[in-house]
Amino acid sequence: MDRILSADGTPIAYRRQGEGPPLVLVGGALSVAATDAVLAALLAPRFTVVTYDRRGRGASGDTGRCTVAREVEDLAAVVGAAGAGASVFGMSAGGALALEAAAAGLPVELLAVYEPPYTPGASGLRFKAGCTARLRRLLAAGDRGAAVELFLSLTGVAEETAARMRRAPVWPELESMAHTLAYDDALLGDGAIPAERFSAVTARALVICGGFSSAPARAATRTLAEALPRGRHRTLTGQTREVAPQVLAPVLTEFFARDVYAYGRAS
């Protein structure tokens, strides 16, 4: 993997493949560049796809004092390395990062996100507050395994499945990244969609959800699309929050490769 220094000097590892206009993929919680390997390969015939290890993950560095601003700087560095005219796709919490970067002035014209896990509404905010408090307690106690299990439970992984994962070869890697769950948690704030801040996003934006995702998740993506000045919403029939790359890739290809004059707000 190549490396570039973020604004605070932290090395960020990234990988480039394919040919065409640059497209940066931003992974979600506990993911690394390799997590997006299948999606990147499907997009590579049309784009120069750049995947990267977010701060504290894989081959990237970490200061241990991560803030949303630092992650925005990391993404800006990767976009700069990707080349002029780069577009951005963010998965889950990576979508929240992409949106925060765009709101902060990241120079992208096209931006797509898949189910950033905002939890708007009174019950959603209470749920987010409870999850944040529990995550902080676990990380403060050094219980990385329990922190990973908390994340897995929030993504719908059954308790018995998580128990099996603890015995899998991938588990030590997940535990090594457990502290970065606090970074993703910070990206989501109190769980509300920051409509006022996102009103500064000038990019054409596509907000995607799965047709089989939970009703609150689907509703949140529609609210998010409406909050973006140039936002559009799309539902992928039969998909959940664990979207199939083979289904997602054609949608992203159509969006990022389409003539900009063909773009419309209709869902």
Side-chain angles (χ1 to χ4, degrees):
M1 298 180 75
D2 294 320
R3 285 173 177 77
I4 191 168
L5 294 182
S6 189
D8 70 346
T10 300
I12 304 298
Y14 69 95
R15 178 177 290 113
R16 187 193 310 262
Q17 66 184 63
E19 295 183 3
L23 172 59
V24 176
L25 306 187
V26 187
L30 299 183
S31 67
V32 293
T35 307
D36 290 324
V38 175
L39 179 61
L42 292 169
L43 294 168
R46 295 291 300 273
F47 306 97
T48 298
V49 184
V50 176
T51 54
Y52 75 106
D53 292 345
R54 286 172 53 195
R55 179 177 295 241
R57 308 153 204 241
S60 288
D62 193 9
T63 63
R65 300 182 301 276
C66 183
T67 64
V68 172
R70 296 291 81 76
E71 283 233 70
V72 166
E73 291 170 353
D74 298 346
L75 177 52
V78 174
V79 167
S87 300
V88 174
F89 167 70
M91 173 66 74
S92 190
L97 171 54
L99 289 164
E100 290 290 347
L106 184 72
V108 293
E109 287 294 322
L110 294 172
L111 167 68
V113 297
Y114 190 89
E115 293 195 19
Y118 295 106
T119 53
S123 61
L125 298 188
R126 287 193 298 271
F127 175 77
K128 173 61 165 61
C131 291
T132 297
R134 185 177 175 192
L135 176 64
R136 288 175 178 173
R137 287 196 301 269
L138 293 172
L139 292 178
D143 196 343
R144 288 174 167 265
V148 173
E149 286 188 332
L150 172 62
F151 166 73
L152 293 175
S153 69
L154 295 176
T155 60
V157 175
E159 185 176 343
E160 57 271 21
T161 302
R164 288 197 298 271
M165 290 179 66
R166 272 188 172 271
R167 300 188 293 272
V170 72
W171 191 259
E173 180 182 1
L174 295 178
E175 284 198 356
S176 74
M177 297 186 290
H179 65 287
T180 66
L181 291 170
Y183 305 171
D184 294 282
D185 184 74
L187 282 167
L188 299 170
D190 63 0
I193 294 170
E196 183 176 353
R197 187 158 67 249
F198 287 173
S199 67
V201 175
T202 60
R204 296 177 177 87
L206 179 64
V207 182
I208 313 169
C209 72
F212 281 176
S213 292
S214 70
R218 298 197 308 272
T221 57
R222 287 194 174 276
T223 301
L224 173 59
E226 292 169 0
L228 297 168
R230 305 171 80 182
R232 181 184 181 187
H233 185 270
R234 180 159 179 178
T235 300
L236 301 186
T237 302
Q239 296 301 300
T240 66
R241 64 183 300 160
E242 299 296 329
V243 61
Q246 295 82 358
V247 175
L248 181 59
V251 175
L252 296 180
T253 297
E254 178 188 11
F255 175 68
F256 288 120
R258 66 170 34 179
D259 187 315
V260 296
Y261 294 106
Y263 183 86
R265 281 188 62 93
S267 177

